[in-house]
Amino acid sequence: FTNISHELRTPLTLILLPLESIMKDMKESALYPKLETMHHNARELLSLVNHLLDFRKLEMGGEKLNPVMGNMAEFAADIVSSFQDAAQKKGVNLTFECGIPGPVMAFDKSQMSKIMNNLLSNAMKFTPAGGYVSMELSQVSEDGRDMLRIDVSDTGTGIPRSDLAHIFDRFYQSDNASMYTGSGIGLSLVKQYAEMHGGRVDVSSEVGKGTVFSVRIPMDLKVSDGPESSSARTDVPSRDNAAESSAAGSGMPVVMIVDDNRDFLSYMVSELSGHFNVVPASGGESCLEKLHKVQPDVLVSDVMMPGMDGFELTRRVKTDIETSHIPVILLTARTSDDIRLEGYETGADAYLTKPFQMDIL
């Protein structure tokens, strides 16, 4: 189940990347609104795949809480701001309020991001033009413990009373068209992530008037000191500059792309060839055969490949004195911290998660 979900990310990458490239060139075209619809729904499909992977990870007990210190007001404001464009286009008034002065506290950033994104996404989906969506942070006390309260409110279609008791059930879908569910996974994840923080989530709603989701999490969580913390780093020491390129005559730096998917390789070659001399390799073994002859300026490799995977390839590149200077960027559909940590430990210089934006690469 998990492997198939991961496999969906590569074809999604090959839908999103060319589509984003086309959209850049056709902003003034009459086709642009249709391309926007395609792009929006491809992103929705990606979101669903991510939900499936999160759900499976939780089900197998593979997800651990990794609290780190952070300013919750700044964190929440950033997430709300990422919805402003969509709100403007839809004609929805989106606001953010924080009634606490700079709440610095420990929380799992990945899980909290998913909680807020899910709730805001649902609120936006079910609020018509001219309506209001808001996120408000406040501090409450429960059983003598300080709790952060996150209220996501909307003036949308609302949820029928008969459905409120089941709203957080996994895979629950209502017969009501106005119901706050798509796959029945998103709100289930919100509930589980809130509970992993030692908190809870409640909902109140009135059909035709709107809905309020209230998440409460304790403000006194301890910071994780496990190995996961070290994987949160985003930078690694820079490698020696590989200025000596075997393709110096072309006047362009050399990039070697390693992936077992033929369509992905051909697309990457066509997209990057205007800026680089691109050398494709269909797997880890093929890459090693070409590496000493080509001596690329940068190596970009998929992680999940048959035979030699991206980790083993990186390990071999970084332990060979003739190739250890070459920066390695790993592309992966697997986003968990332990996978990223394994990549960094083998010597990878950077990570990009599929699907990624070509501009970022």
Side-chain angles (χ1 to χ4, degrees):
F1 178 90
T2 306
N3 286 345
I4 290 169
S5 296
H6 280 303
E7 287 300 313
L8 290 171
R9 282 172 172 256
T10 295
L12 269 172
T13 302
L14 289 168
I15 292 169
L16 282 163
L17 285 179
L19 190 52
E20 285 165 1
S21 178
I22 293 167
M23 287 173 75
K24 274 187 187 175
D25 299 334
M26 298 187 70
K27 281 200 170 170
E28 306 304 319
S29 166
L31 284 175
Y32 191 76
K34 292 181 180 178
L35 296 175
E36 269 194 317
T37 302
M38 291 162 66
H39 186 257
H40 170 74
N41 283 282
R43 300 296 305 184
E44 285 285 307
L45 186 55
L46 172 62
S47 175
L48 184 55
V49 171
N50 289 338
H51 278 166
L52 287 168
L53 291 169
D54 291 338
F55 153 66
R56 182 62 179 158
K57 193 174 179 183
L58 275 169
E59 190 184 57
M60 298 303 292
E63 181 118 26
K64 304 283 186 266
L65 191 71
N66 180 30
V68 295
M69 293 303 291
N71 186 314
M72 182 63 89
E74 290 177 4
F75 181 81
D78 282 347
I79 288 177
V80 172
S81 69
S82 71
F83 283 85
Q84 285 293 355
D85 278 352
Q88 240 176 345
K89 283 177 185 171
K90 194 173 180 183
V92 170
N93 187 17
L94 176 61
T95 60
F96 172 72
E97 288 180 40
C98 180
I100 324 166
V104 175
M105 55 184 284
F107 58 97
D108 186 306
K109 291 190 174 183
S110 172
Q111 292 185 11
M112 196 53 60
S113 171
K114 288 167 186 172
I115 287 174
M116 293 179 176
N117 275 297
N118 263 305
L119 294 180
L120 284 170
S121 178
N122 268 346
M124 291 290 298
K125 190 185 298 182
F126 293 99
T127 301
Y132 291 81
V133 172
S134 71
M135 180 185 285
E136 184 177 352
L137 304 188
S138 58
Q139 185 175 330
V140 295
S141 182
E142 290 185 4
D143 300 323
R145 195 176 188 189
D146 286 337
M147 307 285 282
L148 178 79
R149 176 171 168 157
I150 305 160
D151 287 336
V152 176
S153 315
D154 66 60
T155 57
T157 52
I159 306 166
R161 188 179 296 274
S162 59
D163 289 315
L164 283 175
H166 307 287
I167 193 78
F168 298 108
D169 292 353
R170 193 174 289 165
F171 299 125
Y172 180 74
Q173 290 181 303
S174 169
D175 295 331
N176 295 290
S178 62
M179 183 59 177
Y180 247 77
T181 61
S183 61
I185 297 176
L187 290 175
S188 169
L189 290 174
V190 167
K191 179 175 184 282
Q192 287 179 276
Y193 287 142
E195 289 172 351
M196 285 182 75
H197 277 80
R200 61 192 174 89
V201 58
D202 301 306
V203 59
S204 61
S205 185
E206 195 174 336
V207 173
K209 291 197 174 177
T211 303
V212 181
F213 282 91
S214 295
V215 177
R216 293 174 181 80
I217 63 166
M219 299 182 73
D220 56 1
L221 286 177
K222 298 287 183 263
V223 173
S224 168
D225 58 0
E228 297 93 340
S229 305
S230 61
S231 68
R233 62 186 177 140
T234 54
D235 58 342
V236 290
S238 59
R239 311 287 175 185
D240 293 335
N241 182 25
E244 305 81 27
S245 167
S246 64
S250 71
M252 292 192 291
V254 181
V255 58
M256 184 177 284
I257 307 287
V258 190
D259 201 294
D260 61 311
N261 185 296
R262 204 173 285 175
D263 288 341
F264 184 77
L265 274 182
S266 64
Y267 179 75
M268 294 292 280
V269 170
S270 70
E271 280 294 298
L272 295 174
S273 55
H275 310 279
F276 302 94
N277 182 5
V278 186
V279 180
S282 58
E285 292 87 350
S286 169
C287 170
L288 289 179
E289 283 173 21
K290 298 177 179 181
L291 206 57
H292 289 281
K293 299 174 196 166
V294 174
Q295 282 286 313
D297 293 285
V298 64
L299 179 65
V300 180
S301 175
D302 190 22
V303 169
M304 295 178 74
M305 298 183 290
M308 187 187 300
D309 65 13
F311 293 145
E312 179 59 26
L313 173 63
T314 304
R315 190 177 291 110
R316 296 222 196 162
V317 169
K318 293 298 186 179
T319 53
D320 185 332
I321 191 68
E322 291 186 31
T323 59
S324 60
H325 63 282
I326 300 170
V328 176
I329 300 172
L330 289 177
L331 305 177
T332 179
R334 304 172 69 184
T335 57
S336 62
D337 283 346
D338 55 335
I339 294 296
R340 292 168 67 87
L341 182 59
E342 186 177 348
Y344 283 129
E345 285 175 342
T346 59
D349 294 85
Y351 252 105
L352 272 183
T353 303
K354 286 182 176 180
F356 55 87
Q357 287 187 351
M358 188 59 74
D359 287 345
I360 291 176
L361 178 63

